[in-house]
Amino acid sequence: MRSSKYAPVADAASVSVGAFATDANAGSVGHGASIALALCCLMLGATTATAAEPQQLTRDGRQKSSPVFRDGGKELVYAEFTDAALFQLRRLVLADGTNELLHAKSTSAEFEPAWSADGERYVFCKLRGVLSIGMTVCDRQGAVLNEILPGGGFCGYRSPALSPDHSRLIFSYAERGTQQIYSSQLNGEDRKALAESTGLNNWPSYSPDGRSIVFGSSRDGNFEIYRMQPDGSDVRRLTDHPLQDIRPRFSPDGQRIAFTSHRDGNAEIYVMNGDGSNLQRITQNEGRDDYAEWHPDGKRLVVVSEIEGKHDLYLVGLPD
Amino acid sequence: MLDIGSFQARTCDGVSRRSFLKLGASVPLGLGLTGGLAQASQGSRAKSVIFVFLWGAPSHLDTCDPKPNAPVEYRGPFGVIPTRTPGVHFTEMLPRIASRSHRYSLIRTHATTAPGHPDGGTVALTGFAEVPTPVQPNFGSIVAKARGNQGTLPPFFSITSGMLADASRRIEGYGGGTLSQAHDPFLVGCSAGGEVKLSALQLLDQLNPLRVQDRRQLLALLDTAARRADQHQQLAWTRNMQSGYDLLLNPAARQAFDMTRETPETRARYGYTTFGQSSLLARRLVEAGVPYVQLNYSRHPEAINPGFELGWDTHVYNFELLQDQHCPTLDRAFSALLDDLYDRGLIDDTLVVMMGEFGRTPRITPNASRDHWPPCYFSIWAGGGVQPGRVIGTSDKLGESPLGDVVSPLMVGTTIAHLAGIDTQARAEMNVLANGKVIDALL
């Protein structure tokens, strides 16, 4: 069930040693197989077409978030709780399972990474102090290009994303009782609010051609998915459900959108067309499925799934 | 499988000074019952108490007291779902806990006085403010004194990676207070993988519990270490070590910390998070006969702070932190704890109380988040003589104030003591929980 091609080095990220150490992080082939089987069987019930078999990409079980592909799908970068007090960015090489810290020398919490489509820039959130979150922009090699610091007091940025040509940065920022999507240059200058509204706006993401931004907003009461032009015009609502729809992501061809929804009782992954039509449920798991990100081939999603109490990355095929 | 990682000393010279200090700070001193207290614990409904402390203070509007009809600047972005109790709704963030509302009762009319974390925490854990001193005892210390040492394990555990503290200082109400350090909690940590760490026993490189077969061997090791200590340290050493080493030498006691004795299915139900596995450890301690377990969601209250565990103090990104981190973790672990206690027949003898030190501002702040709100918050009570399925009290339409009678932290402590069999006379003998009233609506 678990392809050796995608099998990470066992326990590459394991660091815990305690007086009463357990087998929680050890994993086993049999256990992993049962996890994949469970997810596969559950998924078959959710779609009419046969979906490709899910592949478990990590096995340490620690809490993870925000996986993103880079280098044409050869690598994944994601945030993980190293321990109860620190989350860090990790880099997973799919071909050989190499799993290591993206920034080995960083001691501050880092999360929500995002890459430009050309792979030349990436951005992530970085904890700067008590309840204070900045953004860091790096080049392909990891050299810091810009540090965008938060203001004074409790504040910070969330969910940064880069335009495909890495000319602009979009992100979420709270002030004056609302939380808006902003666009700026990569150094934080020329900041513009996009499609301002009441409530909270978050998780902005560009379409591959850079002509649309999809995002989540509570402007109409609870979190729904919307899309707009890069200048904030032409806002269109794509979902409508009393339970939340969040974290939208455009497919590589720009035709579909994956997102997380609570509409069936807990967090599951759904895919719909770019206009909100043709909704399909992708996961059906007793635990939480969240943080969907498209593989560059457009046929699979990487998802953080909580299965048997453990949080791991799974590569989930979409129905034909 | 057992490992020795936590039993390694911090220096190459044998016992470290820090190890001595840890022992003094985390091992209760004296033990045993006196006078009428021995009778006070007879006939109690709750043989054990698990106090789930959500330090940092969760928003009541975003969890168990939503206000979906409030104006947009109050209600927040979360949808609401029905609980199993007719007419009662939670937010969509807690589906598992909502579906188990027939197994607990909910209070929505708490109010407290202290607005900050350490002082608010002290009030939440003792019923009284830190000032004027002396600080009153933690509810767990009261139960510990009333029950005394009944088995091989200390009577009061606090599950945490260290002393509860915010960025400035510790909670003064962590322990024995006026009852003395003899009734401080025994600190025990538990990681997301289920590794249990007893900081009090981090003493010697050689102090591997698998190797220590008898007291004579252990005492020989300790004598070696003690000779290296100064007189003051030796005094503390002699006075404090008994409880810790009784625990270390007793195989049955050690088993309480061996999480591998649980089935994979049970461990999975709680979730492989720090709080999830800590919740399972709490159940194991109760099963082993520990009278009081303070199960802390996090060591620190701050939601996001360098080097700190993530607490519920969500001054920024309240909604993201709740939906991404805190609520899924709590929902899985607390619902599993309730189910487990029921399935094992422990719930009738185990009182479970879950709450923070206050609520959060009903009106969304300029940071699009929520700040501290002492005038109104919630708690959940299950087992141990509590009638389940009740909703006690109502907050106003904005969640700003309780409507009707307010339930104070002192009433929380008094009710815990009452259900643990510590009656008015026994409380008077200890000079604790003065003028406290029982929350009759729970009984």
Side-chain angles (χ1 to χ4, degrees):
Chain A
M1 297 295 290
R2 195 184 73 171
S3 166
S4 59
K5 178 180 178 183
Y6 290 98
V9 175
D11 269 349
S14 180
V15 294
S16 57
V17 179
F20 292 87
T22 72
D23 59 354
N25 294 322
S28 67
V29 173
H31 187 53
S34 68
I35 290 174
L37 178 63
L39 183 60
C40 180
C41 292
L42 289 169
M43 286 185 58
L44 288 173
T47 59
T48 53
T50 301
E53 198 172 86
Q55 293 176 309
Q56 187 176 355
L57 303 181
T58 61
R59 304 178 60 77
D60 55 77
R62 284 190 283 273
Q63 290 179 282
K64 299 171 180 63
S65 61
S66 309
V68 290
F69 284 100
R70 69 173 195 175
D71 284 351
K74 295 177 182 175
E75 296 184 3
L76 273 168
V77 173
Y78 60 97
E80 178 182 276
F81 268 91
T82 303
D83 58 40
L86 180 63
F87 32 105
Q88 295 176 291
L89 298 180
R90 300 197 69 86
R91 166 182 169 266
L92 171 63
V93 180
L94 297 182
D96 62 9
T98 299
N99 192 322
E100 61 189 13
L101 289 174
L102 182 67
H103 304 133
K105 295 180 180 178
S106 176
T107 57
S108 185
E110 298 177 344
F111 50 101
E112 296 185 338
W115 257 258
S116 63
D118 61 7
E120 292 300 318
R121 301 282 187 274
Y122 68 97
V123 60
F124 56 95
C125 289
K126 186 168 187 171
L127 190 57
R128 295 291 179 180
V130 181
L131 295 161
S132 179
I133 303 167
M135 293 185 292
T136 300
V137 179
C138 295
D139 67 13
R140 173 185 284 271
Q141 286 72 38
V144 174
L145 301 176
N146 301 107
E147 298 268 23
I148 303 172
L149 302 178
F154 299 151
C155 66
Y157 307 103
R158 293 298 299 266
S159 306
L162 292 163
S163 62
D165 62 0
H166 63 258
S167 65
R168 301 290 293 182
L169 178 64
I170 51 176
F171 53 90
S172 181
Y173 185 76
E175 59 185 348
R176 300 191 301 274
T178 66
Q179 188 169 316
Q180 308 295 344
I181 305 293
Y182 289 86
S183 171
S184 77
Q185 296 178 4
L186 267 54
N187 60 6
E189 295 180 356
D190 187 31
R191 182 179 302 193
K192 299 172 182 175
L194 305 179
E196 286 185 277
S197 74
T198 59
L200 290 90
N201 298 274
N202 203 347
W203 313 290
S205 179
Y206 278 100
S207 61
D209 62 7
R211 295 180 179 177
S212 292
I213 292 172
V214 66
F215 63 104
S217 176
S218 67
R219 62 187 60 206
D220 293 315
N222 73 316
F223 279 128
E224 303 288 355
I225 306 299
Y226 298 77
R227 67 185 295 172
M228 63 182 170
Q229 301 295 309
D231 62 0
S233 64
D234 191 22
V235 176
R236 284 180 281 167
R237 179 173 173 170
L238 303 181
T239 62
D240 185 2
H241 195 277
L243 301 182
Q244 68 177 16
D245 301 315
I246 60 174
R247 274 191 264 281
R249 288 287 186 272
F250 273 111
S251 61
D253 63 4
Q255 299 301 304
R256 292 182 291 174
I257 296 168
F259 63 100
T260 302
S261 177
H262 282 193
R263 61 185 60 206
D264 289 308
N266 75 331
E268 302 287 354
I269 303 301
Y270 291 75
V271 170
M272 61 184 174
N273 291 346
D275 61 0
S277 64
N278 193 25
L279 181 70
Q280 285 183 291
R281 180 172 176 170
I282 302 302
T283 60
Q284 187 168 338
N285 171 26
E286 177 272 340
R288 175 185 179 194
D289 299 298
D290 206 347
Y291 302 103
E293 184 71 32
W294 292 85
H295 187 279
D297 67 11
K299 299 177 180 178
R300 295 175 287 176
L301 297 169
V302 65
V303 173
V304 178
S305 287
E306 182 190 29
I307 295 179
E308 295 182 0
K310 298 180 179 180
H311 298 78
D312 280 301
L313 299 178
Y314 291 83
L315 198 56
V316 179
L318 298 178
D320 293 331
Chain B
M1 176 182 174
L2 298 177
D3 204 307
I4 63 168
S6 285
F7 288 86
Q8 292 180 346
R10 292 173 185 271
T11 73
C12 299
D13 300 322
V15 69
S16 71
R17 180 177 180 82
R18 187 172 178 186
S19 293
F20 275 106
L21 296 176
K22 277 186 175 177
L23 187 72
S26 54
V27 178
L29 305 179
L31 312 155
L33 300 178
T34 58
L37 290 178
Q39 282 72 46
S41 61
Q42 300 295 319
S44 63
R45 292 296 306 271
K47 294 178 180 174
S48 297
V49 178
I50 299 175
F51 188 93
V52 184
F53 188 39
L54 306 179
W55 200 23
S59 160
H60 50 304
L61 269 73
D62 300 321
T63 55
C64 298
D65 194 6
K67 302 294 179 185
N69 298 317
V72 63
E73 61 268 29
Y74 284 82
R75 65 175 181 251
F78 298 147
V80 296
I81 56 175
T83 68
R84 195 151 164 173
T85 306
V88 177
H89 291 76
F90 286 178
T91 71
E92 61 186 311
M93 294 295 104
L94 300 173
R96 291 185 177 91
I97 296 176
S99 70
R100 289 159 176 80
S101 65
H102 61 299
R103 291 188 158 175
Y104 56 80
S105 282
L106 169 70
I107 298 177
R108 284 172 162 168
T109 51
H110 283 288
T112 186
T113 52
H117 294 297
D119 53 336
T122 292
V123 176
L125 300 178
T126 71
F128 294 91
E130 292 182 346
V131 179
T133 54
V135 174
Q136 293 295 305
N138 186 299
F139 305 144
S141 299
I142 295 170
V143 174
K145 180 175 176 62
R147 294 287 178 81
N149 252 15
Q150 296 179 325
T152 55
L153 292 168
F156 177 16
F157 276 84
S158 184
I159 302 180
T160 171
S161 64
M163 187 70 76
L164 300 191
D166 75 352
S168 62
R169 64 181 177 86
R170 71 181 184 187
I171 284 184
E172 293 300 328
Y174 71 93
T178 55
L179 296 180
S180 86
Q181 286 183 306
H183 305 290
D184 278 358
F186 195 103
L187 306 188
V188 55
C190 185
S191 74
E195 297 94 359
V196 175
K197 298 188 177 183
L198 305 169
S199 60
L201 303 181
Q202 290 180 314
L203 296 169
L204 298 163
D205 282 332
Q206 305 96 313
L207 201 52
N208 176 350
L210 291 182
R211 294 182 194 154
V212 176
Q213 300 298 325
D214 57 46
R215 183 174 298 273
R216 188 175 59 183
Q217 180 191 2
L218 176 60
L219 290 177
L221 287 171
L222 298 178
D223 284 346
T224 301
R227 280 196 295 273
R228 296 174 183 162
D230 61 31
Q231 189 172 3
H232 177 72
Q233 286 175 325
Q234 283 194 36
L235 181 62
W237 178 276
T238 304
R239 192 175 56 189
N240 295 347
M241 71 180 198
Q242 190 63 45
S243 179
Y245 298 114
D246 281 350
L247 186 155
L248 188 65
L249 285 166
N250 188 297
R254 292 205 304 265
Q255 286 182 8
F257 304 107
D258 185 358
M259 304 283 273
T260 62
R261 292 178 175 272
E262 297 291 336
T263 65
E265 292 77 18
T266 297
R267 298 187 65 189
R269 286 166 70 187
Y270 285 84
Y272 286 97
T273 60
T274 300
F275 181 69
Q277 295 300 297
S278 295
S279 299
L280 176 55
L281 176 60
R283 194 227 75 209
R284 288 186 62 80
L285 292 173
V286 163
E287 204 167 33
V290 173
Y292 198 98
V293 179
Q294 183 175 310
L295 169 58
N296 302 290
Y297 183 87
S298 58
R299 180 183 177 187
H300 308 105
E302 290 90 348
I304 185 165
N305 191 11
F308 282 35
E309 295 177 9
L310 274 66
W312 290 84
D313 189 25
T314 51
H315 292 284
V316 296
Y317 297 107
N318 168 75
F319 304 104
E320 287 88 340
L321 285 160
L322 292 191
Q323 70 183 13
D324 294 352
Q325 179 64 30
H326 291 329
C327 287
T329 300
L330 177 67
D331 193 44
R332 173 174 282 276
F334 187 70
S335 59
L337 176 63
L338 288 180
D339 290 352
D340 210 3
L341 292 171
Y342 269 88
D343 292 348
R344 291 169 185 267
L346 294 170
I347 192 68
D348 288 342
D349 295 332
T350 306
L351 172 65
V352 181
V353 183
M354 181 172 77
M355 61 193 310
E357 69 271 42
F358 36 69
R360 304 201 76 83
T361 46
R363 187 183 181 91
I364 295 172
T365 64
N367 281 332
S369 196
R370 301 193 193 271
D371 292 340
H372 302 178
W373 192 256
C376 191
Y377 59 111
F378 76 97
S379 67
I380 284 177
W381 298 65
V386 168
Q387 292 299 315
R390 294 180 177 174
V391 178
I392 297 162
T394 304
S395 61
D396 65 20
K397 62 183 180 182
L398 297 178
E400 291 181 324
S401 302
L403 295 175
D405 294 338
V406 167
V407 178
S408 69
L410 178 57
M411 295 173 71
V412 171
T414 305
T415 305
I416 290 172
H418 173 77
L419 290 171
I422 306 167
D423 62 16
T424 306
Q425 179 184 345
R427 299 197 295 269
E429 284 184 34
M430 286 189 276
N431 193 26
V432 297
L433 301 169
N435 301 316
K437 297 178 181 176
V438 172
I439 309 168
D440 291 322
L442 285 170
L443 309 181

